[in-house]
Amino acid sequence: MTAGPAHGSNDPCCEDAGAPAAPRTWTVDEHLADVLAAAAPLPAVEVDLLDALGRRLTADVTAAVDLPPFDNSSMDGYALRAADTAPVALAVVGDIAAGAAELPEVGPGRAARIMTGAPVPPGADAVAPVEWTDGGSGTGEAADAMTAAVAGETVQVLRPVAAGAHIRRRGSDITAGTTVLTAGTLLGPAQLGLLAAIGRATVAVHRRPRVAVLSTGSELVQPGEPIGPGRISDSNSFALAAAARAAGAEAVRIGGVPDDPAVLRRVLQEQLAHADLIVTSGGVSVGAYDVVKEALQPLHGGEDLGGVDFRRLRMQPGKPQGFGRLGKDGVPLLALPGNPVSAYISFELFVRPLIRTMLGAPDVHRPVVSAVCTADLSSPAGRRQFLRGRYGTDGTVTPVGGASSHLVGALAHADCLIAVPEDTTALPAGSRVDVVLLTD
Ligand code: AMP
Ligand code: MG
């Protein structure tokens, strides 16, 4: 162990110090692979466009229309025949606003006032911007705006206009029948704008997973409630429900289920009716009153809701974890440890990738970058340690707080996790480390 105030810890994990050796331990990667093994994107649901923001298409989208749907003007000006231009005076035969349905015929020696986005009238093959004309003022001077339309007005076109100038051709952007977005595309503002432009009011995306987030512990009170002796505020259900929503899920928060297996089983039964995923915190360690274990291990006399395997991971924090499937639909349940930092890191490492798989995301993991650590680190042998850190734009990372898994104050000031490999017990300042970026 590094001497002095190195960040990190060689102590056995805070959650279950003194636990007897388990028959099998799992690496972080093995547990993650097990959690993701049967995971698949949820089926498609047709939603209104704005509800599709941040979600992924389940199918290719084909345009049913051309864009633009008709030839239209890209400028405020005069629709005319290119062959008529040079310095010339043209008789104005009409005024075409955007949305106009009835269009004047533009014959030789004529022009029609036309606004941006208005249909190009029959006979015209170009548009002269108003600045290339006198705007119908009769002065022969270049105009900077249009005057009100005057019946029988004449416009002076001051310079030649090429055929096709300032006309946005039908289908020049999108051609009807072509695929405009492919399955799996993440829908952001520009993609939603395109869908609206081609006339789609709804779109098929993966259904958001409904995640039930339960915190367990008879010591928990809800924030705002008076805190009696020995009680603490339930923070996990808020952090984890928020993390589930941030990952793209719908989250239901069930705060403070007491350490009573019968109550927990009843709550789980209720949630199984509609949840795609259940996440619990607390009660998975090796103490007495470890309610999630007691409720879900048939061994403990509980009604068998399904098989949840309680296991030890070679990581710190977050050593005790449970994973299994409940009920007839095999709803996945991840039982996270209770310490707030352990619970949150476990969520980031295991639950978030599962949610993102259900959402059809190709990139289910947080990005990992290499950074130079500014402080000495120590880490327990045989366990991958995740320390909280702040990632600098200069490619450095600085630990925030210590290794203990109750340090919610430091967690709130971290933006990344420093991952120290299983076989590393000490790292001097200046070493390169892997950093898991937590920012969206
Ligand atoms: P457990 O895993 O249930 O033994 O809990 C480990 C530690 O985490 C204990 O100090 C608990 O009081 C604390 N803890 C458990 N659940 C929560 C929660 N929802 N919010 C804050 N702290 C919790
Ligand atoms: Mg507990």
Side-chain angles (χ1 to χ4, degrees):
M1 182 172 182
T2 310
H7 293 266
S9 164
N10 290 89
D11 297 339
C13 179
C14 358
E15 288 125 9
D16 52 357
R24 176 182 175 183
T25 56
W26 295 62
T27 65
V28 170
D29 298 332
E30 286 167 346
H31 181 64
L32 178 61
D34 192 35
V35 168
L36 296 182
L42 292 180
V45 56
E46 193 81 15
V47 301
D48 291 346
L49 290 190
L50 277 184
D51 293 333
L53 179 64
R55 300 168 76 173
R56 285 178 193 275
L57 286 177
T58 54
D60 293 354
V61 173
T62 303
V65 294
D66 288 326
L67 283 188
F70 49 85
D71 292 355
N72 68 91
S73 178
S74 66
M75 303 291 281
D76 295 326
Y78 292 84
L80 40 68
R81 292 165 176 256
D84 281 349
T85 60
V88 68
L90 301 174
V92 178
V93 295
D95 200 37
I96 312 167
E102 294 197 0
L103 306 176
E105 176 84 26
V106 175
R110 323 234 152 204
R113 285 168 33 122
I114 191 166
M115 309 307 145
T116 303
V120 175
D125 63 0
V127 170
V130 64
E131 297 85 350
W132 295 11
T133 75
D134 72 351
S137 64
T139 62
E141 299 293 318
D144 55 11
M146 282 181 170
T147 54
V150 181
E153 127 188 321
T154 298
V155 63
Q156 291 279 341
V157 181
L158 306 175
R159 47 177 284 186
V161 184
H166 308 114
I167 293 178
R168 304 188 288 211
R169 291 289 175 201
R170 172 179 181 158
S172 58
D173 184 4
I174 300 285
T175 313
T178 56
T179 298
V180 293
L181 295 172
T182 52
T185 298
L186 181 65
L187 297 173
Q191 292 71 35
L192 295 175
L194 170 58
L195 291 168
I198 61 169
R200 292 287 300 263
T202 61
V203 65
V205 292
H206 294 286
R207 185 163 68 67
R208 288 189 191 281
R210 292 182 288 254
V211 181
V213 176
L214 281 72
S215 56
T216 69
S218 293
E219 74 276 32
L220 302 177
V221 298
Q222 291 306 296
E225 288 175 5
I227 299 193
R231 313 293 295 272
I232 61 165
S233 288
D234 168 18
S235 62
N236 286 349
S237 68
F238 288 91
L240 301 181
R245 286 185 189 169
E250 287 174 9
V252 179
R253 190 189 68 83
I254 298 134
V257 179
D259 288 328
D260 177 338
V263 174
L264 177 57
R265 276 197 295 270
R266 183 169 49 70
V267 174
L268 289 173
Q269 288 284 15
E270 285 165 13
Q271 294 307 315
L272 275 179
H274 43 76
D276 298 301
L277 169 61
I278 298 177
V279 178
T280 64
S281 72
V284 292
S285 201
V286 292
Y289 316 112
D290 272 326
V291 65
V292 179
K293 262 181 155 171
E294 289 181 24
L296 293 175
Q297 276 185 334
L299 193 77
H300 286 75
E303 172 194 349
D304 191 359
L305 289 171
V308 172
D309 183 36
F310 292 91
R311 53 184 68 158
R312 289 152 195 271
L313 266 56
R314 294 206 283 279
M315 72 182 269
Q316 183 188 59
K319 181 176 174 182
Q321 304 271 346
F323 171 62
R325 296 180 171 276
L326 297 193
K328 61 177 176 23
D329 298 327
V331 175
L333 178 141
L334 279 90
L336 311 184
N339 275 306
V341 176
S342 316
Y344 177 66
I345 291 177
S346 302
F347 186 101
E348 285 291 339
L349 295 180
F350 309 121
V351 184
R352 185 177 182 276
L354 178 54
I355 290 174
R356 295 188 61 78
T357 300
M358 290 173 160
L359 286 165
D363 50 340
V364 300
H365 302 297
R366 292 287 196 189
V368 177
V369 297
S370 173
V372 173
C373 189
T374 61
D376 291 347
L377 298 181
S378 66
S379 182
R383 299 172 69 177
R384 193 178 303 176
Q385 190 177 41
F386 292 94
L387 295 164
R388 278 62 69 200
R390 281 197 75 81
Y391 179 62
T393 46
D394 58 352
T396 62
V397 66
T398 302
V400 179
S404 295
S405 52
H406 66 289
L407 301 173
V408 289
L411 179 63
H413 291 94
D415 60 10
C416 66
L417 301 174
I418 303 168
V420 185
E422 288 81 347
D423 54 3
T424 302
T425 53
L427 276 175
S431 303
R432 283 218 158 258
V433 286
D434 279 350
V435 169
V436 183
L437 301 178
L438 297 176
T439 41
D440 279 310

